[in-house]
C-alpha cells in the first residue's frame, strides 16, 4: 500500500492556508457570495466541515457510513447542500471551530 502521508500533509497545508484566510474575515464577509451559485463563504466552510465529518465516519464506522450513503442515495440532489446548510446556521467563530475539530479528528484517524 502506498504511503498516504504526503496526501495528508498536502490536505493539512491547504486547510491551514484557507483557515488563515477565513479566520481574518469579519462576520459580514462570511456572507459574501462565492463562485458556487447560492453559496457564501460560510457555506463553503460548512461544506468542508461536513465533508470532514462524513469522511471521518467512513474511516471509523462502517455501519454509520452505510447509513450516510443510504441518505445520500435517497436525496442525491440535496444531500450535500443540506449538510452545508446545517453549518451555515452557526456563528462564524463556531463554524470555524467545528471545521477545525472535524479536520483534526479526520487527520488523526487517517
Amino acid at each position: 500500500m502506498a504511503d498516504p502521508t504526503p496526501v495528508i500533509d498536502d490536505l493539512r497545508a491547504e486547510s491551514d492556508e484557507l483557515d488563515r484566510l477565513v479566520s481574518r474575515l469579519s462576520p459580514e464577509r462570511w456572507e459574501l457570495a462565492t463562485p458556487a451559485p447560492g453559496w457564501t463563504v460560510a457555506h463553503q466552510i460548512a461544506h468542508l466541515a461536513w465533508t470532514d465529518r462524513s469522511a471521518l465516519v467512513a474511516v471509523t464506522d462502517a455501519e454509520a457510513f452505510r447509513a450516510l450513503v443510504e441518505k445520500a442515495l435517497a436525496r442525491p440532489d440535496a444531500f450535500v447542500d443540506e449538510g452545508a446548510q446545517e453549518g451555515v446556521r452557526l456563528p462564524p467563530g463556531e463554524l470555524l471551530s467545528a471545521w477545525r475539530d472535524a479536520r483534526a479528528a479526520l487527520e488523526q484517524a487517517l
Side-chain angles (χ1 to χ4, degrees):
M1 178 154 98
D3 179 13
T5 304
V7 174
I8 296 168
D9 290 345
D10 286 348
L11 179 60
R12 181 187 326 103
E14 288 178 10
S15 296
D16 288 348
E17 178 62 22
L18 180 57
D19 190 315
R20 280 190 288 281
L21 292 171
V22 299
S23 67
R24 299 178 194 151
L25 296 177
S26 67
E28 298 78 28
R29 297 197 59 140
W30 279 74
E31 298 305 316
L32 291 175
T34 66
W39 279 34
T40 63
V41 171
H43 282 93
Q44 297 291 348
I45 299 303
H47 171 69
L48 291 173
W50 175 85
T51 301
D52 287 347
R53 286 190 310 272
S54 297
L56 179 62
V57 170
V59 171
T60 61
D61 188 340
E63 188 60 36
F65 184 64
R66 274 190 282 283
L68 199 60
V69 169
E70 296 218 2
K71 287 181 185 178
L73 292 173
R75 297 187 47 78
D77 295 337
F79 183 68
V80 173
D81 291 341
E82 289 168 355
Q85 192 60 40
E86 290 174 19
V88 168
R89 295 184 186 108
L90 297 173
E94 288 181 37
L95 177 53
L96 189 56
S97 180
W99 177 44
R100 288 173 177 159
D101 291 347
R103 68 183 212 251
L106 177 58
E107 181 179 338
Q108 183 63 37
L110 292 173

